[in-house]
Amino acid sequence: ATKGPCGTEDGGTIGPGGVRGANVGSSPGASQPRDADKVRIIAARTIANLAAREERRPDIVGSLAQLLGVLQPNAGDNEKNGNGGGVSNSQLQRLVCAAVANLSIDSKYQGEVVRLGGLEALSHLSRTGRDSQTLRMCAGALANLSANALLKEELTRKGIVETLVGLLKRVSHPDVSAQVARGLANWVVGTDDLGIGRVLDEFATSGGLTTLLKLGGNREADLTVKKQVGTAIYHTLKAFPGMVKKQIDESENGIQPLLEMKKCAEKEVSLLAESCLNIYNSEMEGVVEAAAP
């Protein structure tokens, strides 16, 4: 599983999956926040930066419920009604997502994020958000949660795989794609060792595999994306060779995306694709032998 803190305006750290943290304090063309919002933005930025520091996370975990409130579907209504909810401000949402992503790097707090409705809040934002860097932070938080093996069954019931796949289909920005690919890779790594194959089955039948194949076959895709795609496909194929082979054969481009990945100059990507092809071909030989008289 791969993790890493999300960068904030002050930090400039390396984001999840090796993507450099964006300036999440401002966005070109963004509307100017009101005075009350400015205070919240400063507070959220401070919390996001503290959450990136392991020794300070215990100090800010108590603010998690309030942070997640900013991302809730009715946050804007709460603000209008004076109920102390969040505000419809992409800059504030971006900082809150960065804080949640940084906090959820630590497995000690991932369960708390889920318990307080973090998955639902992030899923809603993934469906409605428009700012690419906010969605990058959102996907980064989802990817971190996906790495927790003990939460996988609960997160499956709550639709995290569908959320990631839906985000990948809706947003084509490379930074978002890298985080989603990392999340899907985190999702499948190690699940076969835990004996919960039905979780992998959920991944494979939710459209995740087809989406990954399209990403892997895109020659312009970032190398980070291709590495995560290769990892996810390999582990899924390893666990369910017959089912995955069938999905590959029925997909739009068949095995071609894996062949494209094998040509990649990046050795790690090429080796992952070659390993996938070896499993695929072994399964193909098994089918031929079974059909022989």
Side-chain angles (χ1 to χ4, degrees), residues 4 25 27-28 52 55 63 66 74 105 108 118 130 159 164 166 172 177 185-186 191 223 249-250 262 264 270 290 292:
S27 180
E55 73 277 9
S63 304
Q66 289 84 354
N74 61 347
I105 290 170
K108 294 194 296 288
R130 296 181 180 180
L164 287 167
S172 59
S177 297
N186 281 348
T191 52
L223 285 178
D249 291 341
E250 294 176 351
K262 187 179 178 181
C264 183
S270 179

Side-chain angles (χ1 to χ4, degrees), residues 215-227 230 256-274 277:
L215 259 184
N218 181 358
R219 295 181 180 178
E220 298 179 358
D222 186 271
L223 285 178
T224 300
V225 173
K226 287 183 177 289
K227 287 178 184 178
Q256 190 59 36
L258 290 175
L259 295 174
E260 289 290 340
M261 289 174 65
K262 187 179 178 181
K263 299 176 185 176
C264 183
E266 174 63 40
K267 187 175 181 180
E268 184 176 349
V269 174
S270 179
L271 288 176
L272 280 167
E274 184 176 0
L277 289 167

Side-chain angles (χ1 to χ4, degrees), residues 15-170:
V19 181
R20 181 161 294 281
N23 180 335
V24 296
S26 61
S27 180
S31 59
Q32 293 300 312
R34 298 171 300 170
D35 288 344
D37 291 351
K38 288 180 180 179
V39 174
R40 294 181 183 181
I41 287 170
I42 292 171
R45 182 184 297 122
T46 301
I47 293 173
N49 285 327
L50 289 175
R53 298 166 56 184
E54 183 178 0
E55 73 277 9
R56 298 304 302 271
R57 288 171 191 153
D59 300 332
I60 57 95
V61 70
S63 304
L64 185 57
Q66 289 84 354
L67 285 171
L68 291 173
V70 174
L71 306 180
Q72 295 295 341
N74 61 347
D77 294 336
N78 286 338
E79 172 66 11
K80 292 176 183 178
N81 297 331
N83 295 331
V87 292
S88 299
N89 182 291
S90 62
Q91 187 178 358
L92 181 58
Q93 288 180 333
R94 184 161 59 252
L95 287 162
V96 168
C97 284
V100 175
N102 287 341
L103 189 63
S104 63
I105 290 170
D106 196 325
S107 60
K108 294 194 296 288
Y109 305 115
Q110 290 167 350
E112 188 72 358
V113 171
V114 175
R115 186 184 72 81
L116 292 174
L119 177 59
E120 291 83 355
L122 292 166
S123 295
H124 172 74
L125 182 61
S126 77
R127 294 191 299 271
T128 60
R130 296 181 180 180
D131 178 74
S132 60
Q133 290 307 312
T134 299
L135 292 172
R136 179 181 83 89
M137 300 294 182
C138 175
L142 290 168
N144 288 341
L145 294 177
S146 297
N148 192 317
L150 299 179
L151 292 175
K152 279 193 170 81
E153 291 191 81
E154 179 179 359
L155 294 176
T156 296
R157 292 195 302 271
K158 293 183 176 181
I160 192 171
V161 178
E162 290 85 347
T163 294
L164 287 167
V165 171
L167 180 56
L168 198 56
K169 291 178 178 178
R170 190 173 78 84

Side-chain angles (χ1 to χ4, degrees), residues 149 152 187-200 234-240:
K152 279 193 170 81
W187 187 257
V188 299
V189 171
T191 52
D192 47 338
D193 297 332
L194 294 171
I196 49 175
R198 66 183 188 81
V199 174
L200 273 176
Y234 171 73
H235 282 273
T236 311
L237 191 54
K238 179 182 175 184
F240 296 100

